[in-house]
């Protein structure tokens, strides 16, 4: 009986363990506030953070947060400046070590499987960042951002195997999209973390050559870690909604304002601000070379001379304005925000990425990346390689590449040749075809394009229409019509005399579909016999639309937006709803004869036996498959 009672007692203690532990944590916290003699309770509370129960961990990290907060705000957790061995200094060093252990634990909790522990850890870490930065700013009388602390937070977020939507939403919506300093240093730290991860397998720069043995001993970058960095960083960057486009938009900070005197005035006076050269090294702010948005790189050299004490031309108001702007804290300079944004994206694009992540990057390239970069032309290699990759990747790269060509003077001699080769039999089956044809219509809008080039595109699309699904043909025909209206020299493709060498079928067509160069395809010598063929299409809407090419071109042009978003579903719904408005709706006519087989067949006139009939059916089926082999 005694053993049974003992067992029952142990089970009861186990069930109430969390409540007892939580009450113990509260007692330990109360003891810290009552007397300094109870500072050993810090170590006990730190031991509770290693408990297996999430409730115990949650209670202990909050108790430690409340206990460390007054010490941190008073500066009692900072390292003593002097190496004296007095009791106060020893206590401060000991407290600092326990505080570092606590921060390390919070950073590790960012990768915990339980979101209920990840989110409190993030909130506490950022609160500690604010308190520590405020103390450093007040003690040194100059702005400080504790980036040593924040760097570890950023690393805990992006180098995280358990990064989830709840953690992302908490960080982005509550902090990152609101405060300019948190966004700035996240971009700065993330690019540094990614570059260090990429360079982990490379030998360090040394004065002499590196031996083969040392090169082989170097650790290679961990593929799993690189994948985490790519996925997590891209997920956060995708959620970026606030990007400053003018200096006046840089006005919200999680820590103190970098220039309090400027925050009270709308018109900042550069003489009242602190020079960047006078800032303390403890601010952990790296000075970048200044890139001006107007592209005046000569001024950059003058600014460097000014920082070194070399006097410039003070009579120039333009020079004086630049010097005054350079004296602003970097958090208030738009050029630095663009710089760290560019560095982060350039570092991210070096990481290996899956097909899905590749597409995500290209989808947001022209709207969320290029407009905010300091030098968008640095994306040239990435976009040209993507454009040459083929398939859906090339289609998605078009937007970004066109932006560089149109707005940043990128020279791409083979652009139209690559664009021409994107028109293949798979094009009409990808979900990005509407996006692609919008851009193609823009690329072929110039009236200065060679007629041979335009004719090749027209003929290429015309040939593809023979094997395209109905919702693809609906896009192609208005596109061809608009191109002929825009380039009247291509009218010869329709009005070519019948006694000329023009083609009436694929076999006699001088147009070479397999020729990759549109200028050598002989398209201008051909005709649009494919449009005549489509007048007998099984889908009546397409047959009707194809007849526009045998009528007068009185219509100015078609609005492509009316045709780009059609699918099998939309076409089917249109047909089924066609007669609903009538008083006596009729049933939808799907076919005038009930088909015997799915594919076309040849009638068997001499049905002598079943074996011969089966053989003919097999041959007919094989011939039918040839029609749909595309």
């Amino acid at each position: 009986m005694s053993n049974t009672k003992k067992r029952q007692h142990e089970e009861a203690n186990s069930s109430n363990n969390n409540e007892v532990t939580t009450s113990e944590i509260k007692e330990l916290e109360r003891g810290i506030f009552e007397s300094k003699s109870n500072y050993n309770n810090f170590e006990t509370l730190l031991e509770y953070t290693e408990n297996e129960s999430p409730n115990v961990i949650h209670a202990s990290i909050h108790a430690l947060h409340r206990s460390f907060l007054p010490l941190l705000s008073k500066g009692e957790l900072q390292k003593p400046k002097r190496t004296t061995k007095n009791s106060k200094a020893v206590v401060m060093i000991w407290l600092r070590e326990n505080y570092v252990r606590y921060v390390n634990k919070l950073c590790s909790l960012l990768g915990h499987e339980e979101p209920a522990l990840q989110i409190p850890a993030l909130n506490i870490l950022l609160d500690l960042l604010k308190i520590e930065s405020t103390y450093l700013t007040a003690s040194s009388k100059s702005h400080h951002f504790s980036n040593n602390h924040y760097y570890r937070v950023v690393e805990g977020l992006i180098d995280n195997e358990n990064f989830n939507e709840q953690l992302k939403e908490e960080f982005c919506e509550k902090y990152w999209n609101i405060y300019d300093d948190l966004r700035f240093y996240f971009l700065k730290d993330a690019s540094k973390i990614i570059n260090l991860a990429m360079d982990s397998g490379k030998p360090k720069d040394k004065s002499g050559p590196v031996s083969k043995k040392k090169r082989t001993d170097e650790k290679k970058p961990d593929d799993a870690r690189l994948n985490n960095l790519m996925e997590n960083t891209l997920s956060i960057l995708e959620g970026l909604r606030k990007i400053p486009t003018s200096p006046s938009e840089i006005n919200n900070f999680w820590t103190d304002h970098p220039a309090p005197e400027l925050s009270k005035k709308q018109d900042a006076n550069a003489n009242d601000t602190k020079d960047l050269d006078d800032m303390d090294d403890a601010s952990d702010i790296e000075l970048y070379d200044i890139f001006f948005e107007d592209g005046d790189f000569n001024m950059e050299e003058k600014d460097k001379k000014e920082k070194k004490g070399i006097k410039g031309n003070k009579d120039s108001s333009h020079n004086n304005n630049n010097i005054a702007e350079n004296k602003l804290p970097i958090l208030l300079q738009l050029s630095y925000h663009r710089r760290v944004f560019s560095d982060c994206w350039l570092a991210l694009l070096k990481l290996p990425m899956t097909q899905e992540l590749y597409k995500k990057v290209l989808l947001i390239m022209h709207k969320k990346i290029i407009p905010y970069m300091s030098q968008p032309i640095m994306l040239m290699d990435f976009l040209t390689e993507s454009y040459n990759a083929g398939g859906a990747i090339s289609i998605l790269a078009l937007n970004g590449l066109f932006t560089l060509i149109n707005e940043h003077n990128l020279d791409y001699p083979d652009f139209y040749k690559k664009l021409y080769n994107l028109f293949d039999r798979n094009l009409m089956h990808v979900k990005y075809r509407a996006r692609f044809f919008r851009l193609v219509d823009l690329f072929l809008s110039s009236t200065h394009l060679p007629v041979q080039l335009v004719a090749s595109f027209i003929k290429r699309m015309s040939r593809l229409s023979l094997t395209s699904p109905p919702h693809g043909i609906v896009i192609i025909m208005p596109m061809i019509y608009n191109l002929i209206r825009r380039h009247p020299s291509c009218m010869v493709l329709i009005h070519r005399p019948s006694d000329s060498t023009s083609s009436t079928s694929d076999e006699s067509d001088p147009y070479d579909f397999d020729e990759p160069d549109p200028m050598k395809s002989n398209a201008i010598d051909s005709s649009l016999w494919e449009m005549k063929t489509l007048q007998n299409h099984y889908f009546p809407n397409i047959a009707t639309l194809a007849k526009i090419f045998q009528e007068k071109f009185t219509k100015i042009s078609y609005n492509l937006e009316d045709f780009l978003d059609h699918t099998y579903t939309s076409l089917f719904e249109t047909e089924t709803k066609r007669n609903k408005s009538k008083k006596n709706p009729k049933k939808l006519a799907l076919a005038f004869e009930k088909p015997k087989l799915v594919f076309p067949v040849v009638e068997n006139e001499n049905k002598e036996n079943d074996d011969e009939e089966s053989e003919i059916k097999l041959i007919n089926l094989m011939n039918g498959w040839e029609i749909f082999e595309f």
Side-chain angles (χ1 to χ4, degrees), residues 170-197:
E170 181 75 10
F171 177 67
C172 292
E173 300 302 324
K174 190 174 179 180
Y175 300 103
W176 198 53
N177 274 318
I178 299 177
Y179 301 103
D180 296 309
D181 50 352
L182 294 182
R183 182 188 62 252
F184 177 90
Y185 283 102
F186 175 89
L187 296 171
K188 176 175 178 279
D189 295 339
S191 61
K192 185 176 181 180
I193 292 168
I194 293 172
N195 287 326
L196 288 175

Side-chain angles (χ1 to χ4, degrees), residues 34-217:
E34 290 176 353
S35 173
K36 292 183 179 181
S37 61
N38 296 323
Y39 275 1
N40 286 329
N41 293 354
F42 279 114
E43 289 190 344
T44 308
L45 288 173
L46 285 170
E47 291 177 0
Y48 279 123
T49 61
E50 305 295 335
N51 196 283
E52 295 180 357
S53 172
N55 293 331
V56 175
I57 298 175
H58 187 275
S60 60
I61 61 175
H62 279 88
L64 285 167
H65 176 222
R66 291 187 292 268
S67 301
F68 277 124
L69 206 58
L71 299 177
L72 185 64
S73 60
K74 296 176 184 178
E76 296 182 13
L77 298 180
Q78 301 296 325
K79 291 182 179 179
K81 293 184 178 180
R82 298 179 181 179
T83 58
T84 55
K85 295 294 183 179
N86 55 36
S87 58
K88 185 177 180 180
V90 172
V91 172
M92 289 182 66
I93 293 174
W94 180 83
L95 286 173
R96 177 70 183 180
E97 290 175 352
N98 284 279
Y99 175 70
V100 171
R101 285 178 57 194
Y102 174 55
V103 172
N104 289 338
K105 182 58 182 180
L106 291 174
C107 291
S108 66
L109 288 178
L110 293 175
H112 199 276
E113 296 179 355
E114 179 57 54
L117 290 177
Q118 290 178 318
I119 294 175
L122 175 66
N123 291 329
I124 292 173
L125 283 168
L126 292 179
D127 188 55
L128 295 176
L129 168 70
K130 182 184 232 180
I131 300 301
E132 186 172 349
S133 300
T134 301
Y135 169 77
L136 292 174
T137 299
S139 61
S140 64
K141 297 182 181 180
S142 63
H143 179 259
H144 282 66
F145 183 92
S146 184
N147 196 34
N148 287 330
H149 178 94
Y150 190 55
Y151 180 93
R152 300 167 68 187
V153 178
V154 175
E155 188 175 25
L157 289 171
I158 64 175
D159 191 7
N160 190 339
E161 295 181 356
N162 295 314
F163 190 78
N164 52 59
E165 194 65 27
Q166 295 93 325
L167 183 60
K168 170 194 168 183
E169 185 177 353
E170 181 75 10
F171 177 67
C172 292
E173 300 302 324
K174 190 174 179 180
Y175 300 103
W176 198 53
N177 274 318
I178 299 177
Y179 301 103
D180 296 309
D181 50 352
L182 294 182
R183 182 188 62 252
F184 177 90
Y185 283 102
F186 175 89
L187 296 171
K188 176 175 178 279
D189 295 339
S191 61
K192 185 176 181 180
I193 292 168
I194 293 172
N195 287 326
L196 288 175
M198 290 292 293
D199 295 339
S200 61
K202 299 179 181 179
K204 298 180 180 179
D205 293 334
K206 297 181 180 180
S207 58
V210 181
S211 64
K212 183 178 180 180
K213 182 178 180 182
K214 289 184 178 181
R215 288 200 304 270
T216 55
D217 291 341

